[in-house]
Amino acid sequence: MTDDREKILAAIRRSLRGTDKFDAARNPASPLTSMPQGDFESQFGKFKAELESLGGLAEALNSDADASEFIAEHTGPASSIFIYNEIANLHRSLVESLSESRHVRFGLEFPVGYDKRDAAAFDAAVTGCAACVAETGTVVIRTDMRLPAALAPKLFVVVDSGQLLASLDEFFTDSFGNTDASNLFLITGPSRTADIEKQLVKGVHGPKEIVVLFINQ
Amino acid sequence: MTELKSRNFKRLYKKEIADQKLRENLRKATIQASGKRNDSFSEVDFVFLRDEAKKIKQESISHLNDLLSQFEDNAHENGCTVFYAESPEKANAYILDVARKHEIKKIVKSKSMVTEEIQLVPFLEKYGIETVETDLGEYIIQLAGETPSHITAPAIHKSRTEIARLLHEKIGIEQNDDPAFLTGEARRVLREKFLSAEMGISGANFLIAENGAVVVVENEGNARLSTSAVKVHVIVTGIEKVIPKFSDLRIFMRLLGRSATGQKLTSYVSLIRGPRKEKEKDGPEEVHIVLVDNGRSRLLGTDHQEVLHCIRCGACLNVCPVYRSIGGHAYGSVYPGPIGSLVTPLFFGPENAPDLPFASSLCGSCTEVCPVGIGIHHQLLSMRQEIKPGSKHGLESFVFRNFRKTMLRPGRYKLLTRLARVFSSTSIVRKILKGWTGYRDLPQLPSRSFREIYKSEGGKG
């Protein structure tokens, strides 16, 4: 089917003929009236406060072993947990120790174009992230499998402390804009709705619980 | 296109305004929403953000041709197919074509105002393709066979009891009006739809020219699934959604969530750059971007061009005294409220919505909260002149003409205010003013004027 490209672009050109072109000089200042301080502790404090105000949870831990223990504590013994490849590669001891007490499956086991029902079978997913933003309590996910993290009721995000950004100003830059991945998801707290009488309900289609674990490397 | 109901605004609003329960639902919901909006701006400089956003939108619209071409080139490079549609018919036909090519029987759809504008869902359903709205509010409205009554809160006019009854009748769940229960049941039913559908449709909040990315903003996670758990993803949006730079999102992301729902950032922001890449194991194999004009290009270069800056946050609806009283359905358009009173006649032709620009008290609250600085009430005023140039508007004109004369002549003023004090509480006056007194009390005038009281107290008249 042929589209109306030429027609529409010609109509735009015609309508705008003779009008002034406007070029906005961007003001580089941040609109924030207060910014978290530069050190990790205060930025983490801000991140934690923001995420927890939305019903999420953030913890700073010392090791993979601590993270494994934390995840085990926050999932039932019969839980089935999906582990993303990057966690399996970068946090081996976390995965090994979690495998001893929980049923885990790895991204590596899934072929390209896997049956999406298989991704809906998990009680929790453990993923890494591309960045975290203290200003809003946001995690940025960029994965080779979109569904397990979107479908599981609980989402654990394992973060290296160096991935924490102070504000959205630092995230919306070329280094993130020019990513090669087909997708980049900013997740700020549990999935939510207020569509019924403006009453807030958490956990609509996405995870009901989101836990962000910072591991001090 | 079917004829717009907005032609019948005068009949529609009378029905809605008489519904006390609806007015109460609306009043509570909109006051809560605008209060949360105000609180959420405490940490950022609203004026700074609004002025920056306005500048970026002005730049985007004044370079629309170049930016669309740049976006298109980059989207192609990312592996997307871009289709321009001048009319709703053309857009709908293309989307049907895509669905047929893939033998699609079921579609999951996330919220999109443009798909409402082009009436995509009834069109696809006419051809036997089940198209399920997956935003909770939209799902409720779809089950009810209604249209959304608010840009960001489509079921704002419905009470929990009505929703519980509806879901009980339509999907057979237990009748329980707890919002958490109802949401949980909707999640269960819709999860199955996500797992069985092969095609997803979403809107777009922004198109980024410099990298071809599509930005979709939401809270529930349904847009994330509609764009991820499918083989084919179709994005339907207006040509005016393109902005130049990825870094411009630092402004818009801070404004949109706050203005819409009082959130510092919405729960999900999906940045989509095409179909799945070679090493990715899921995600759509095809991504189509349908850019709809439908009257937008006609607005360029006119005094109404700035209406194209709108980011569909719905903040102007929440503060509008008219919207708060009559709700969204009275406007008879998918775009209700102050911005809808502009967009509807501009997109669909003034003959289809001749009364909407008059559905405003011109108090300016809409302009004050607009995150991209659209002078909404000024626009409404100038549209009134265009739609009914030099209109004397019957009774209104008579009243103002005589008000002026009265205020200029003290004798006449005294006589008329005396008469008003005597007759204002009589039934004949109430009958004449029933359009006003049907829904509110007529203010009681005191039996004596200030001058009379002043004189009787010994002052000089």
Side-chain angles (χ1 to χ4, degrees), chain A residues 99-128:
Chain A
S99 309
E100 288 167 14
S101 62
R102 298 288 178 270
H103 174 65
V104 299
R105 284 193 69 193
F106 299 97
L108 279 173
E109 300 171 33
F110 288 71
V112 170
Y114 66 91
D115 182 346
K116 58 186 171 182
R117 285 183 187 275
D118 294 342
F122 297 98
D123 301 300
V126 185
T127 182

Side-chain angles (χ1 to χ4, degrees), chain B residues 30 149-152 314-321 323-324 336-340:
Chain B
T30 52
S149 69
H150 190 288
I151 291 175
T152 57
C316 62
L317 279 63
N318 295 335
V319 296
C320 176
Y323 179 87
R324 281 179 175 181
I339 192 68

Side-chain angles (χ1 to χ4, degrees), chain A residues 143-209:
Chain A
T143 59
D144 63 341
M145 287 175 72
R146 302 186 191 191
L147 293 182
L151 294 170
K154 283 185 188 178
L155 179 63
F156 293 91
V157 186
V158 178
V159 186
D160 292 335
S161 46
Q163 291 179 301
L164 182 59
L165 307 174
S167 74
L168 292 171
D169 297 324
E170 291 174 35
F171 173 71
F172 287 113
T173 57
D174 288 347
S175 57
F176 291 101
N178 295 330
T179 172
D180 282 339
S182 70
N183 63 91
L184 204 59
F185 297 108
L186 281 74
I187 303 174
T188 307
S191 147
R192 60 195 245 160
T193 186
D195 273 343
I196 302 176
E197 285 193 357
K198 288 275 161 199
Q199 291 260 320
L200 182 64
V201 179
K202 288 175 197 142
V204 195
H205 300 292
K208 293 177 186 179
E209 291 177 40

Side-chain angles (χ1 to χ4, degrees), chain B residues 319-338:
Chain B
V319 296
C320 176
V322 176
Y323 179 87
R324 281 179 175 181
S325 299
I326 64 176
H329 286 153
Y331 293 81
S333 163
V334 296
Y335 298 108

Side-chain angles (χ1 to χ4, degrees), chain B residues 191-319:
Chain B
R191 175 60 60 94
E192 185 48 38
K193 304 282 184 193
F194 283 121
L195 294 178
S196 54
E198 297 282 270
M199 179 162 149
I201 296 177
S202 75
N205 295 86
F206 301 94
L207 307 171
I208 311 297
E210 72 174 1
N211 65 8
V214 175
V215 184
V216 183
V217 167
E218 49 133 0
N219 276 315
E220 296 183 2
N222 64 310
R224 191 176 168 205
L225 288 173
S226 302
T227 62
S228 294
V230 288
K231 282 205 168 124
V232 184
H233 173 204
V234 179
I235 296 156
V236 190
T237 194
I239 53 171
E240 81 282 17
K241 293 287 171 65
V242 66
I243 57 171
K245 295 169 187 294
F246 182 68
S247 58
D248 291 335
L249 291 174
R250 81 185 187 103
I251 302 296
F252 291 108
M253 286 300 108
R254 285 173 168 133
L255 281 168
L256 184 51
R258 286 179 168 90
S259 299
T261 50
Q263 291 170 268
K264 290 179 182 175
L265 190 63
T266 45
S267 302
Y268 296 100
V269 179
S270 301
L271 301 165
I272 297 159
R273 292 190 63 184
R276 74 166 74 144
K277 305 282 184 210
E278 204 183 335
K279 287 181 182 167
E280 293 172 356
K281 294 181 177 176
D282 61 12
E285 289 160 17
E286 282 184 26
V287 173
H288 297 255
I289 304 169
V290 181
L291 299 173
V292 178
D293 183 343
N294 196 28
R296 289 160 172 81
S297 58
R298 276 203 312 267
L299 302 184
L300 298 167
T302 72
D303 292 342
H304 300 302
Q305 180 174 299
E306 70 168 351
V307 170
L308 297 175
H309 297 177
C310 177
I311 56 171
R312 307 279 187 262
C313 68
C316 62
L317 279 63
N318 295 335
V319 296

Side-chain angles (χ1 to χ4, degrees), chain B residues 153-190:
Chain B
I156 197 171
H157 58 287
K158 285 207 170 303
S159 69
R160 64 172 78 190
T161 320
E162 290 170 296
I163 294 168
R165 197 181 313 124
L166 177 76
L167 296 189
H168 171 68
E169 285 168 9
K170 298 284 181 179
I171 58 173
I173 64 165
E174 178 195 327
Q175 196 160 343
N176 175 342
D177 69 2
D178 174 21
F181 171 81
L182 294 167
T183 305
E185 288 299 295
R187 174 186 167 109
R188 184 178 56 75
V189 173
L190 290 171

Side-chain angles (χ1 to χ4, degrees), chain A residues 42-56:
Chain A
S42 53
Q43 283 185 10
F44 173 73
K46 172 72 175 165
F47 179 90
K48 184 177 169 69
E50 290 298 332
L51 180 60
E52 295 189 352
S53 75
L54 299 168

